Amino acid sequence: MTKYFLQQTLSKRICVSGTGVHSGKQTHLILNPAPENHGIKFRRIDLPGTQDIQALFKRVVDTSLATVLGTNGAIVSTIEHLMACFAGLEIDNALVEVDDYEIPIMDGSAKVFTQLIQDAGIVKQSAPKHFLIVKKPIKVTDNDKSVIVYPEPCFKITCRIHFDHPMIGEQKITFDRAKNNFTKEISCARTFGFMQDIELLKKFSLGKGGSLDNAIILDKNKILNKEGLRYPDEFVRHKLLDSLGDFSLLGMPIRGHIVTNKSGHTLNHLFIEKFLENKDAWETGPEKFK
């Protein structure tokens, strides 16, 4: 009997609350198990009767400060950390109920979501998991920024960043699905920002929920968080976390090696658009156990 990689969902519903980093509002989430071939969907329970929002590239309506999905006037914002958690833990099917437009920032990473899901349990389903199998490279560039994917038997993602700041500089890291190191190496990496940018955001009534409890904050030459960093290269690990969330909006896991250089939400989504247009560069289908 042929054995395929199988789809997965949550074993039970999970309730969690937190603050939206931009809205400053307290938001409540319910993560629900979902049937096979359902995918990841978001439901605005504060807007009864609105259509569920699929976590797919075609539903992206903004990438300026966070990844925002929308359909028929309803939006859900700052989804990237939760989506990275689903991707990192290989969750294919879930329904996320939320009572406001912004997913809570928690501690600025995917740590809380990851722990809650692992504590609740993950269950295999009967249907095979489908993959996007890369057959030849695809690349998108914007000046010195780039995203490229190469054929690879398993999923890998390499991120490189460079910031002209003494605490960051150049950093590079690779996440290898075969090593199954998401929880330990990636999920706990926090978002970061610069003091001058945060002050500007607040002038525009954004970043209302941001604090040293949910972000690494830097001034011109140091980190303001008293506890310091969780990893020496936490900055690039968080960029990789964000990228996992962005690329999960392809709707299927990739069999390939994605390499990003100084990329962000906007370029990641331009890459997805080009990737999906180049239909001769990939194929879809289930995959057997070797």
Side-chain angles (χ1 to χ4, degrees):
M1 181 178 176
T2 303
K3 290 188 176 181
Y4 292 97
F5 289 94
L6 298 176
Q7 294 179 29
Q8 298 191 131
T9 190
L10 312 172
S11 65
K12 61 183 180 181
R13 71 200 301 257
I14 299 166
C15 299
V16 60
S17 300
T19 303
V21 67
H22 290 301
S23 68
K25 295 180 179 179
Q26 186 78 357
T27 306
H28 306 280
L29 290 182
I30 303 174
L31 312 181
N32 298 282
E36 297 164 354
N37 303 313
H38 176 277
I40 308 296
K41 295 181 182 179
F42 291 87
R43 178 176 294 168
R44 287 286 302 275
I45 58 175
D46 59 320
L47 301 174
T50 55
Q51 184 179 345
D52 290 348
I53 306 170
Q54 292 178 302
L56 293 175
F57 165 75
K58 63 184 179 181
R59 298 298 180 209
V60 174
V61 295
D62 188 25
T63 57
S64 55
L65 294 173
T67 300
V68 184
L69 304 177
T71 185
N72 296 330
I75 66 166
V76 60
S77 176
T78 323
I79 64 162
E80 52 269 25
H81 300 170
L82 180 58
M83 289 302 300
C85 176
F86 286 142
L89 297 179
E90 300 183 74
I91 304 292
D92 304 283
N93 304 303
L95 173 64
V96 181
E97 295 179 299
V98 55
D99 66 355
D100 212 307
Y101 75 88
E102 190 173 21
I103 300 300
I105 193 67
M106 310 312 291
D107 71 341
S109 75
K111 178 181 178 180
V112 176
F113 297 136
T114 301
Q115 288 178 338
L116 287 170
I117 290 174
Q118 289 180 322
D119 289 346
I122 299 168
V123 295
K124 290 190 182 300
Q125 298 174 285
S126 299
K129 187 191 297 274
H130 281 68
F131 296 87
L132 287 160
I133 302 164
V134 179
K135 298 194 293 182
K136 60 184 182 181
I138 300 173
K139 184 177 184 179
V140 64
T141 61
D142 177 16
N143 295 318
D144 62 340
K145 303 173 183 178
S146 63
V147 181
I148 184 168
V149 65
Y150 301 95
E152 184 80 22
C154 192
F155 174 63
K156 291 181 182 178
I157 179 168
T158 296
C159 283
R160 175 189 172 272
I161 63 171
H162 185 274
F163 287 85
D164 187 17
H165 189 283
M167 297 301 299
I168 307 179
E170 181 171 331
Q171 298 182 358
K172 182 178 178 180
I173 192 171
T174 296
F175 168 73
D176 186 343
R177 164 68 66 211
K179 295 181 180 178
N180 194 27
N181 59 354
F182 172 77
T183 300
K184 183 178 179 181
E185 302 294 335
I186 305 299
S187 72
C188 300
R190 295 163 294 172
T191 192
F192 61 94
F194 301 93
M195 200 66 203
Q196 64 270 23
D197 297 332
I198 292 167
E199 290 168 353
L200 182 62
L201 283 174
K202 292 193 173 179
K203 285 183 181 178
F204 290 93
S205 296
L206 296 169
K208 293 178 180 178
S211 73
L212 292 171
D213 293 326
N214 54 39
I216 304 167
I217 308 298
L218 303 102
D219 65 11
K220 291 182 179 180
N221 53 31
K222 66 180 185 298
I223 294 168
L224 301 183
N225 306 66
K226 291 181 180 179
E227 73 277 16
L229 298 174
R230 293 176 176 176
Y231 313 91
D233 57 352
E234 187 168 359
F235 304 99
V236 73
R237 290 174 192 252
H238 185 79
K239 283 292 186 180
L240 195 148
L241 179 76
D242 278 348
S243 295
L244 276 175
D246 288 342
F247 298 133
S248 73
L249 298 179
L250 283 161
M252 295 182 211
I254 287 180
R255 282 288 186 256
H257 185 183
I258 297 174
V259 180
T260 75
N261 180 50
K262 300 169 72 173
S263 186
H265 297 306
T266 300
L267 191 61
N268 288 346
H269 289 287
L270 285 174
F271 168 79
I272 293 174
E273 185 174 21
K274 184 172 182 179
F275 181 92
L276 293 174
E277 287 173 352
N278 284 265
K279 299 186 188 302
D280 62 333
W282 49 269
E283 63 186 11
T284 65
E287 194 165 291
K288 301 173 186 177
F289 284 118
K290 301 293 185 194

